[in-house]
Amino acid sequence: MSTSPESAGSNGLPAKARKWASDDSFTRHRKSITELYSTMTLPNLLQTMEREHNFFATPKMYKTRFRRWGLWKHNQASTVVEIVRLQRERDAAHKPTTEILLHGQRVDLARVDAYLRRNDKMRRYVSSLPTSAPHRHPPTAALICRTPSPSPSPSPEESLYRAIRTYYASSLSTPSRTWVFDPPTSPSPAHTSTTHHLHLAQTLWLRFRTALNHLVRPPLNLALAARLLRIVFAELTTALLSPFASPLLPFWILHVVVLLREAHPALPPEFRPLEAQLLRHVADLTAAARTPGWEMWRVLCRSSAARERWHVRRCAEVAGAEVAAALGGTHAVAVDLGLAGVLAGTGTGAEDAGEKSRRYAALWETLSGGEQGEGEFDGRHMDVLACWAVHLRQHRRYEEAEELILREVLRRPERMAKLHACLGSAFNLHIMLATVNIDMERYPAAEGYCRKALVIAKMQVEATSDDGDLFEGLDTLETCLRAQDKHEEADGVVLERETVVKQTLEKVGEKEDSV
């Protein structure tokens, strides 16, 4: 490994503490770098490789390899001006759709448009230029404009990536930004709506997951699963049709589709059409209302490739790059999209266990070593720990999962004090501790953690009206109590859960006895 004199990158580690990539490292990662660079800017590529592959290189090191590999980008201001001018001249002459080549490679005009959306000054400048104006910069010989032969339609994957980039770029662009994530100095309806829909999207995912568990894990409870699914389909209307629809909603829904597809052989026959019904419901709702992301949803619901784990992960990476470019790589939404991408790879044979551990470790290091470090321990850190523990549990490393949470949070009073500000994340940590103790048949300890999780879940209902965690907590507590032959207490938990279901059905406008 070589040592570079350039400054530290996005994870905030000093240069001396980092191992810089060698030529061999670049060769090993060339495929990943090339694929990522086709969908994101160099700063985003640098952050993604550091965060997800623990791969450290400076911009200069990347540019050197790009020249060797024949990779070119067109983000220099003078080049963008000439590209736009060429487009206008062809349009004014009523010539067919053109193809613009830079250094012999086709220019993605959608990325030129995205560059102009991000750069207000440049956008205003090129808009003010008349078609016949003299060239401010001599046209570069590397720029060629031509009318190409008809090309084949883009692949389903390319169409989906393009739709995702367009949706997130337009939703995050100034001044038409849809989401307002960070608390404003004064009350803001947009911030309130954004926060509400972030909670709602995760609650929908939790309800889907709970319903699926009751469909495939004994003892089956088909009636409860059907009622939960009615709640989800009713709430999806609100979640999808709002201009503040959660940026994580597409990936929660895609993850549910993956789970339904994998569980299909074990589903009761009457529930096997559920995957198709969900996708049709989403497509019909968004198309009829022409929501801000309806084109993305149309492509997503039709793309069979988007129902594979590896592809969901890739879609999350594409969206995460747009969010990181607009908000920063350590923003909570960028971190959540990174976790959604790793989570999508969860499953037998879906991704190498060691590789996934390295991805979680890289995310954790990025958060712990960045500018918002120890003094800013918050829900982002808790979510990474909870997902990491889920991964360890799935590989039956129960004690390691428990120790991770205890070491990093519960044995550290200064971090325990932060739990009240991040109720959803705090619930995830406690319910994971309960679950791994059930796996290890340590039922009294599991019950203690589960009851603490339920206290947190009820606080969350009071604060946000979101009861997805409450369902999961009650289910886990019933399992724990029955394992200890505390059937009377378990029956009480079932009655409490039935009451919550009934209240939620009424809240979304469904009747308890409807079919």
Side-chain angles (χ1 to χ4, degrees):
M1 297 291 180
S2 57
T3 303
S4 169
E6 297 194 24
S7 59
S10 59
N11 73 346
L13 290 175
K16 291 183 179 178
R18 309 171 73 190
K19 294 183 178 179
W20 299 96
S22 64
D23 281 338
D24 288 343
S25 299
F26 269 100
T27 300
R28 286 196 304 272
H29 289 84
R30 178 171 177 171
K31 182 178 179 182
S32 297
I33 292 170
T34 302
E35 290 177 353
L36 290 171
Y37 192 48
S38 68
T39 63
M40 61 180 64
T41 63
L42 178 56
N44 292 339
L45 170 65
L46 190 144
Q47 290 181 358
T48 301
M49 291 299 295
E50 288 183 0
R51 184 176 64 247
E52 298 181 5
H53 298 279
N54 220 24
F55 181 89
F56 298 99
T58 65
K60 183 178 179 181
M61 293 165 70
Y62 276 106
K63 290 176 182 178
T64 299
R65 272 68 184 187
F66 292 160
R67 285 193 294 272
R68 293 179 188 173
W69 300 344
L71 298 180
W72 298 92
K73 283 291 182 79
H74 39 269
N75 56 0
Q76 288 187 350
S78 60
T79 305
V80 170
V81 170
E82 292 308 316
I83 290 171
V84 173
R85 189 188 301 280
L86 281 171
Q87 283 183 278
R88 289 190 179 181
E89 289 175 352
R90 300 283 292 199
D91 291 343
H94 303 290
K95 293 186 177 181
T97 302
T98 60
E99 180 176 70
I100 298 178
L101 304 179
L102 177 62
H103 298 288
Q105 296 194 15
R106 187 175 180 273
V107 172
D108 184 348
L109 297 178
R111 294 188 63 81
V112 175
D113 291 339
Y115 172 83
L116 292 173
R117 283 198 304 270
R118 294 193 300 268
N119 192 321
D120 288 337
K121 184 177 179 181
M122 177 60 68
R123 184 174 65 250
R124 289 194 299 270
Y125 171 70
V126 297
S127 298
S128 68
L129 287 176
T131 304
S132 59
H135 291 260
R136 181 178 178 181
H137 302 281
T140 172
L143 259 176
I144 300 173
C145 187
R146 70 182 187 185
T147 302
S149 302
S151 57
S153 300
S155 67
E157 292 87 353
E158 291 170 340
S159 297
L160 183 55
Y161 298 155
R162 186 179 304 166
I164 289 173
R165 279 197 299 268
T166 300
Y167 171 57
Y168 282 85
S170 62
S171 297
L172 292 162
S173 62
T174 304
S176 59
R177 177 172 292 175
T178 300
W179 300 304
V180 178
F181 298 108
D182 301 314
T185 54
S186 58
S188 163
H191 175 257
T192 301
S193 295
T194 299
T195 303
H196 168 70
H197 280 85
L198 284 170
H199 289 305
L200 177 58
Q202 186 166 17
T203 297
L204 287 170
W205 175 66
L206 289 170
R207 289 202 216 287
F208 257 123
R209 198 176 66 182
T210 302
L212 186 58
N213 287 341
H214 284 291
L215 291 175
V216 298
R217 294 182 184 176
L220 304 184
N221 192 334
L222 305 190
L224 177 59
R227 292 155 74 200
L228 287 173
L229 290 170
R230 281 167 41 210
I231 293 171
V232 169
F233 274 81
E235 289 181 324
L236 260 176
T237 303
T238 301
L240 286 166
L241 300 188
S242 170
F244 300 98
S246 169
L248 297 170
L249 184 59
F251 304 101
W252 291 140
I253 290 180
L254 284 177
H255 189 235
V256 168
V257 169
V258 168
L259 294 177
L260 287 171
R261 173 162 292 196
E262 292 175 347
H264 188 270
L267 286 173
E270 63 269 34
F271 288 94
R272 288 178 184 171
L274 189 55
E275 176 192 341
Q277 291 170 352
L278 171 61
L279 291 171
R280 184 167 60 249
H281 182 66
V282 170
D284 290 348
L285 272 178
T286 53
R290 285 297 193 268
T291 61
W294 78 270
E295 290 185 357
M296 177 196 67
W297 285 112
R298 177 179 60 83
V299 177
L300 185 148
C301 290
R302 291 181 179 179
S303 175
S304 59
R307 300 167 207 180
E308 302 294 336
R309 285 184 177 273
W310 70 268
H311 199 66
V312 176
R313 169 183 160 184
R314 186 72 188 95
C315 290
E317 289 173 347
V318 171
E322 295 294 336
V323 172
L327 305 175
T330 59
H331 191 278
V333 176
V335 172
D336 283 343
L337 282 168
L339 291 173
V342 184
L343 180 64
T346 299
T348 304
E351 185 178 7
D352 176 69
E355 173 62 21
K356 185 172 293 183
S357 291
R358 286 189 289 273
R359 283 160 64 87
Y360 281 125
L363 273 171
W364 177 256
E365 183 180 352
T366 297
L367 290 176
S368 300
E371 294 179 0
Q372 296 179 326
E374 188 70 24
E376 296 294 334
F377 182 86
D378 55 26
R380 300 168 303 160
H381 302 76
M382 298 179 210
D383 290 343
V384 172
L385 287 175
C387 290
W388 197 349
V390 168
H391 163 62
L392 294 172
R393 176 185 175 244
Q394 287 170 335
H395 291 275
R396 301 188 179 188
R397 293 155 65 179
Y398 305 128
E399 292 185 349
E400 195 175 338
E402 180 182 35
E403 177 61 23
L404 176 69
I405 297 173
L406 293 176
R407 182 182 70 244
E408 297 295 345
V409 183
L410 269 64
R411 292 180 187 146
R412 302 183 66 164
E414 75 282 3
R415 291 184 173 178
M416 283 288 291
K418 304 271 187 166
L419 295 183
H420 71 280
C422 310
L423 295 176
S425 303
F427 171 86
N428 291 337
L429 294 178
H430 282 87
I431 206 67
M432 177 49 53
L433 288 170
T435 304
V436 295
N437 275 278
I438 290 174
D439 293 330
M440 294 186 288
E441 300 183 354
R442 299 174 181 172
Y443 298 116
E447 181 182 346
Y449 285 126
C450 196
R451 292 192 182 279
K452 289 178 182 178
L454 280 170
V455 170
I456 296 169
K458 290 174 181 178
M459 291 171 62
Q460 191 170 17
V461 172
E462 287 272 332
T464 67
S465 299
D466 297 329
D467 54 15
D469 287 338
L470 185 57
F471 280 108
E472 184 177 3
L474 291 171
D475 272 358
T476 307
L477 181 58
E478 182 195 359
T479 300
C480 186
L481 292 172
R482 295 206 186 280
Q484 300 176 83
D485 293 326
K486 296 181 178 180
H487 297 294
E488 187 174 345
E489 288 184 63
D491 291 342
V493 171
V494 171
L495 289 175
E496 182 179 357
R497 186 180 62 202
E498 292 292 324
T499 300
V500 174
V501 171
K502 182 177 180 179
Q503 291 172 344
T504 306
L505 281 167
E506 292 172 352
K507 184 173 69 174
V508 299
E510 292 275 330
K511 293 184 179 179
E512 171 68 17
D513 56 355
S514 64
V515 179

